[in-house]
Amino acid sequence: MTREITPTSRTVSRSAQLQLLGAVAVYTVLGLAAGLFYREFTKLNGYPEGMMGQLGVAHTHILTLGMIVLLIVLVLERSFSLSSSRLFRWFFWIYNTGVVLTSAMLVWHGMLQVQGLASSKMIAGIAGLGHMLVGAGFVLLLLALLSAIRREE
C-alpha cells in the first residue's frame, strides 16, 4: 500500500526538510569553526602538536552527530515523512539539545586541558546529560521510523 500524499502532508514534510537542512548548515559551520579554533587555540597556548585531547575531537563530533546524522535523517524524512509522527518533533529538539550540550562540554573541557587547568565533575555531569539526550533522541527517531513504516503497511 502506498501512502497518500496530501497538500498538508507535503507542506509538513517540506517544513521538516527545511528545518533539518537548516540544522545541517549550522552544524557544518560550527564543526568547521571548531576545527579551526582547535588549531589556533592549541598553537596560541603552546600545546604539543599531535597530542590528543577533548578539544581535538570536538569538530569531528559536531560534524558527525550534527551534520552527517541529520543528513541521514533528512533522507529518511524524504522517504518516509517521519515528521507526520508527533515523535519527530520530540526527536529533533531532544537530539539537538543533546548534541549542543555534549559539544559545548567537549570544547570547554578541551580548553581547560590545553591550558593545563583542572576540569570539574560539573562538566562531566553536563556532558553525561548531553549523551543521555542524544541517546533518547535516537530512540525517538527509531520509534518515529517504526511508526512511518507501519503507516505504509
Side-chain angles (χ1 to χ4, degrees):
M1 175 186 233
T2 60
R3 73 180 164 192
E4 184 180 333
I5 298 178
T6 64
T8 304
S9 67
R10 192 175 295 131
T11 303
V12 169
S13 183
R14 180 170 163 75
S15 174
Q17 290 171 25
L18 291 172
Q19 185 180 36
L20 286 165
L21 188 60
V24 166
V26 168
Y27 282 123
T28 301
V29 170
L30 289 176
L32 295 173
L36 178 64
F37 177 74
Y38 165 71
R39 189 187 74 208
E40 296 305 319
F41 190 74
T42 53
K43 272 191 214 175
L44 183 67
N45 286 282
Y47 198 68
E49 191 173 328
M51 192 166 173
M52 284 304 296
Q54 295 286 316
L55 195 56
V57 297
H59 81 283
T60 54
H61 275 72
I62 296 168
L63 289 172
T64 303
L65 291 174
M67 183 188 76
I68 294 174
V69 168
L70 290 183
L71 278 173
I72 293 168
V73 173
L74 179 59
V75 171
L76 291 172
E77 169 61 23
R78 184 89 173 141
S79 298
F80 295 102
S81 293
L82 297 175
S83 60
S84 61
S85 167
R86 52 193 182 108
L87 293 174
F88 181 79
R89 187 179 260 325
W90 283 97
F91 151 73
F92 185 83
W93 292 109
I94 288 174
Y95 179 78
N96 284 300
T97 300
V99 172
V100 168
L101 276 177
T102 300
S103 301
M105 292 307 105
L106 272 172
V107 171
W108 188 1
H109 186 245
M111 289 172 61
L112 292 174
Q113 276 182 328
V114 168
Q115 294 173 328
L117 301 172
S119 185
S120 71
K121 291 181 182 180
M122 178 189 66
I123 294 172
I126 296 171
L129 176 63
H131 281 83
M132 287 186 269
L133 290 172
V134 167
F138 277 129
V139 169
L140 289 167
L141 174 63
L142 292 175
L143 290 173
L145 184 57
L146 177 63
S147 173
I149 291 171
R150 284 186 175 160
R151 245 190 344 266
E152 290 189 357
E153 289 178 350

